[in-house]
Amino acid sequence: MFPIKKVQILLGFVWCLTSFLTQAQSNKLRAANSEFDKMSYAQAVRNYESFLGNGRHEKEQLKEALTKLAFSYRKLQDSKNAERVYRDLFNNFDASLDSDQILYYAQALANNGKYRESQKMYSRYGEQQKEDLRGRKFTVAYMDNATFYKDSSLYDVDFVYPLNTRYSDFSPMFYENGLVFVSARNEGSGIKRVFNQNETPFLDLFLFSDTMSLRKETHKTFETIQASLGSSGKSAKPNKTQENDSFDDIEEPEIDEFSKSINSKYHEGPVTFFKDYKKIVFTRNNYNKGKAKKSEKGINMLKLFIATKKGNKWTDIKELPFNSNEYSTGHPALSPDNRKMYFVSDMPGGFGGTDIYVVDYREGNWGAPINLGREVNTEGNEMFPFVDEIGNFYFASDGHAGLGGLDLFYLEFRNGVPFGEVENLGAPINSTKDDFGFITDGNRSRGYFSSNRRKGYADDNIYAFTKGCNALNILVYDSQTNLPLANTELRMVKNGVNKQGYITNSLGEASLCLESGADFEFKAFKEGYDVGTITYGTMSQSLSKQQHLKIYLEPARRPLVKGRIVSEVDQMPIAGATVTLENERDGSVAMVITGVDGRYAFQPDRDGRYSVSAVKDNYATNTENIGKIKNSKKNYSVERNFGMIGEGDIFRLDNIYYDLDKSEIRADAKKELESKVIPVLKKYPDLQIELRSHTDSRASEEYNQRLSAARARSVADYLVSRGISSDRLVASGYGESELVNECDDSAKCEENAHQANRRTEFKILAVKEYLGARK
């Protein structure tokens, strides 16, 4: 037997050791919690894993550690480890966990493609949070995932090797002939700072100047990889969308930093450009002019900034007025006419984590942000909006039903207002991981997007996509002779909107590409024939093979009214204009919305006097008189192309000249005003314009400013003398501040180059819906 004293000493030693180990474990947990509170999630993960990997734990400490570790993996976008830890958490504490943990577990399971398990968790979440629509939407969506794969065979997705590195690369945006994108790479000479939250470098903007070479470069890199791997008998084409570690050995491309004046020591993020590429709106941490600011909680939020390009430099960086130190704004996207900007914010009053807002932009002034509402925003996160050249709206969301993480969605807009329902773009553009930063052309035939599908955490990469074809052949015949009709115009119409136009070949045939899940109307127009119409639907599933439709055209009994709607300022077609054909005798109307080519066509079925009107938001409504149309055996058509004037349009007046150092307009200038400006102002009596006078750079800035202001006033005075109200006119002198070339004080230029800067313009400031005088 041990002596009592020795037993007491041994027990005391065990107690001290246990107390020491318990204290050490508590210290580890406190250290982990400290990093978690600072949002240093990468270090928090290491500390929590160390705490959990040593010894037994008190129940409350175990629950706290598992809860915060799982959340840290979630913030680091490491879904595999997040699922592992959430599974442990639910195995130990299922009954006491709140609805947030159920939601996070459901999302992690979906991120890993475990939809059945995810569905059960979403169902539980929906039972607890009945007002949050995510529970019901995802539960229903995961009953049958087939809808997410209906167009999977249509798209070819490529990993864009020339743009991607071992760091994060994402959110491309079209810029001139290239792409500007966000990257954590370090192309500079200094040491790049590291973001504490995930221990990755801060983000900057970079430029790849020639998108035409991207596919060539990607193909070359495929060959390089194949050669380096040797001939193994495996597929010659590398796996482009899944994890493949051999890609990490590819030499990183050298790509230029976009702008040293915009890139800072903090994050720069997604950007958008005005259509002339002279202005940029970009995302950045709350940092400007060498000063960083934080919220009351000590967080450096994101803000939106605007900058102007002068020469080759971006200057005059300014905050947008609706920024705040207390919430973030970012991810800008401009509408095609630069009159609306969409952006993302977690400002108070939203529906969820981050919502998408829209704000008007007029004459350099920003309006008040408006939430896009329930059509777009959910209880989750809506991010990365993009608007293509015809107004189609795309965004990323984890709140609308999808394959997991952020999915990409499409929503049709009409006159800046959501129309219809949100559509998931489906696989292979969407995956179980985060898919975002989508840009494309108006037909969604090709474009780029970002995804972390290869490895997940800290592995955002840029992908290119091209759209294949659900092939449909339409054959057009003469109903009397059954002979094919060549050179017939075919128009595809969806939801009342003119889409692509086609012309039949010598066999009377045209090949089309259709998206799945939609109904279409096809119209055939040919001189001497009545319009032929046929409908076709792809609602049930994608086309499995090439289909054929036949349209038989009857000899014309009614005339055809057709034409194209264009912009008055540059004669480019206007998409999204509502064109109405009205019979003035009985008031009957027909309507169509123009597509990318701006074309419209009608075949009136009643006699009468007709007019055609074109209406679009922020454009002056134009009405053209067609005249009398009646049933006739004579085959004929009426073609009427006409223009629209929009807010912000700038018209150059080519023959406004002044005598040297004089501001009085000459007789030849009056002819230009009589032929171009006065007719427009009389046709649209509510139109307001700015008269803009410019000089070249010779003489002093002060003198040029005074001279240009006097010249603009002289034009306004002349228009007033011709009966135009002064309330409709703003006279502005710009001096030498807006040169159209490089002929500033430091340059030596020929006289014709200086002459290009001495110009007078008029700009449309405001329009009202007005039916122009019928001719």
Side-chain angles (χ1 to χ4, degrees), residues 191-207:
I191 298 174
K192 192 144 187 175
R193 299 170 68 249
V194 173
F195 183 42
N196 285 336
Q197 179 168 315
N198 56 13
E199 296 183 352
T200 60
F202 276 85
L203 302 167
D204 283 324
L205 298 173
F206 292 85
L207 170 65

Side-chain angles (χ1 to χ4, degrees), residues 715-732:
V715 176
D717 290 342
Y718 179 79
L719 294 177
V720 170
S721 74
R722 296 287 289 113
I724 306 300
S725 171
S726 60
D727 293 339
R728 302 173 61 194
L729 308 174
V730 175
S732 301

